[in-house]
Amino acid sequence: MEDYDILDTPDSGTADSDASDGPQPRPQSLMLAFFGNHVLEEGDGDLCVYSGSIIDVLGRVGVGEQAVRSTLTRMVNRGLLRRRREGRKMYFGLTPQASRVLWDGHTRIWEQGAVNDDWDGTWTLLGFSLPDSWKRQRHDLRSRLTWSGFGALYSGLWIAPGSVDIAGVVAELGLTDHVKIFHAQADVATDIELMIRDTWDLESIAARYVTFDKRWTALLGSGAGAGDDPIGTRLRLVSEWLWTIRTDPRLPARHLPSDWPARPAEQTFRHLAELTATPAGRTATELLDTVPLRQD
């Protein structure tokens, strides 16, 4: 599904252009991070937020009012947000489709560690063969596989560490008849570390962690902590962390370089997340105008 592309936060043209500045988040990705932080988690997805409140918060991370309004409209048209008018005010809430994507992201951010110390030696293999004309289906499948931790071992054979329950995703895409899934262990003749290097771009994955850690450690070192704007700081923090981990399949730690940078980067993220949680929540309570989400 195209939905999972919306969790790739940087603008593709500027994401890695200047590592010292970090990725440049897209308005739609920041919007979803906002709803994930303050609607999904705080209100279990059952709230709508006044557009003026959204404009205020996203303005704190550099998104202008017109960009916010146009992003809201696009996300309504894509089935990611729903509108509700209350008097002269317009409120926006999550659709079930967006909630599903955000809960998936929530699991990746808060429940799964960035380092896989518990790998049991198994792999999930997925083979597919699609007609040449099925470009959209191929793109959707590859997007979902990447999000689920798979890498392309060969053009039509993808692999992920551990036992990954991917059958539901394949069924949702309507591709069950074109896909075969296996769970297996590698033969002793297989050089797993070489296979990993051939299948995933470890340098690119590592660079994301290094960039994140450098940027946010500098903030901690400056004594800024949550800063004067904890809600904006936390919004950017979570957005950038999701971008950082998005293409990391959580490869087994014992087959990665000893200085793999995911561990220190995650420690930095969790420390800052703890620092910003309470002040950002307090600011949200004071700032956000919300109403209950009523079903039409």
Side-chain angles (χ1 to χ4, degrees):
M1 291 275 294
E2 187 182 59
D3 303 348
Y4 286 76
D5 293 339
I6 64 184
L7 293 175
D8 196 9
T9 41
D11 182 319
S12 59
T14 58
D16 297 314
S17 58
D18 188 345
S20 64
D21 291 335
Q24 303 300 314
R26 297 185 301 181
Q28 181 169 273
S29 300
L30 285 166
M31 187 80 72
L32 281 167
F34 166 80
F35 275 94
N37 282 342
H38 303 294
V39 174
L40 189 77
E41 296 174 23
E42 299 299 328
D44 200 27
D46 294 328
L47 293 175
C48 289
V49 185
Y50 170 47
S51 61
S53 299
I54 301 172
I55 289 168
D56 186 337
V57 174
L58 266 68
R60 297 166 183 240
V61 292
V63 183
E65 179 176 347
Q66 186 55 46
V68 172
R69 293 190 184 279
S70 62
T71 300
L72 287 169
T73 299
R74 285 198 304 272
M75 292 177 71
V76 168
N77 292 338
R78 289 186 61 186
L80 298 170
L81 294 178
R82 63 182 76 187
R83 276 188 283 236
R84 178 164 299 283
R85 182 175 293 280
E86 295 286 341
R88 301 181 63 180
K89 291 183 175 181
M90 187 66 74
Y91 292 76
F92 292 84
L94 293 169
T95 64
Q97 179 184 4
S99 293
R100 174 176 55 81
V101 174
L102 287 178
W103 276 123
D104 206 358
H106 178 276
T107 299
R108 289 286 299 273
I109 292 172
W110 303 110
E111 297 178 18
Q112 293 181 342
V115 179
N116 186 352
D117 291 315
D118 303 318
W119 182 59
D120 63 1
T122 63
W123 296 89
T124 301
L125 284 73
L126 182 145
F128 67 90
S129 179
L130 304 180
D132 292 340
S133 60
W134 287 19
K135 294 181 180 180
R136 179 184 60 80
Q137 291 92 332
R138 185 176 288 103
H139 168 80
D140 290 347
L141 177 59
R142 287 173 174 168
S143 177
R144 294 293 293 272
L145 289 176
T146 298
W147 174 253
S148 298
F150 284 80
L153 184 61
Y154 300 109
S155 60
L157 180 61
W158 288 55
I159 188 170
S163 181
V164 181
D165 184 6
I166 197 70
V169 169
V170 173
E172 182 182 333
L173 294 172
L175 298 176
T176 301
D177 292 342
H178 301 270
V179 169
K180 301 294 184 290
I181 303 168
F182 304 88
H183 300 283
Q185 291 186 320
D187 187 84
V188 293
T190 300
D191 186 331
I192 293 178
E193 293 182 12
L194 176 61
M195 180 184 72
I196 286 175
R197 292 196 302 271
D198 287 344
T199 304
W200 287 277
D201 185 351
L202 294 186
E203 290 186 5
S204 176
I205 296 170
R208 290 192 179 208
Y209 284 116
V210 171
T211 296
F212 179 92
D213 198 27
K214 179 180 178 181
R215 173 180 172 81
W216 290 96
T217 299
L219 178 67
L220 280 172
S222 69
D228 296 329
D229 180 25
I231 194 170
T233 299
R234 187 174 178 83
L235 177 57
R236 185 172 287 278
L237 174 74
V238 172
S239 297
E240 291 186 18
W241 182 246
L242 183 56
W243 173 75
T244 300
I245 65 175
R246 185 181 187 273
T247 58
D248 183 358
R250 299 185 73 249
L251 295 162
R254 64 177 179 261
H255 291 296
L256 292 172
S258 59
D259 59 349
W260 187 244
R263 204 180 302 273
E266 183 175 30
Q267 291 172 349
T268 298
F269 167 73
R270 297 204 179 277
H271 181 46
L272 275 161
E274 183 178 356
L275 282 178
T276 56
T278 297
R282 186 164 51 243
T283 302
T285 299
E286 297 170 353
L287 181 66
L288 301 184
D289 178 357
T290 64
V291 295
L293 176 64
R294 297 201 310 267
Q295 300 298 327
D296 292 321

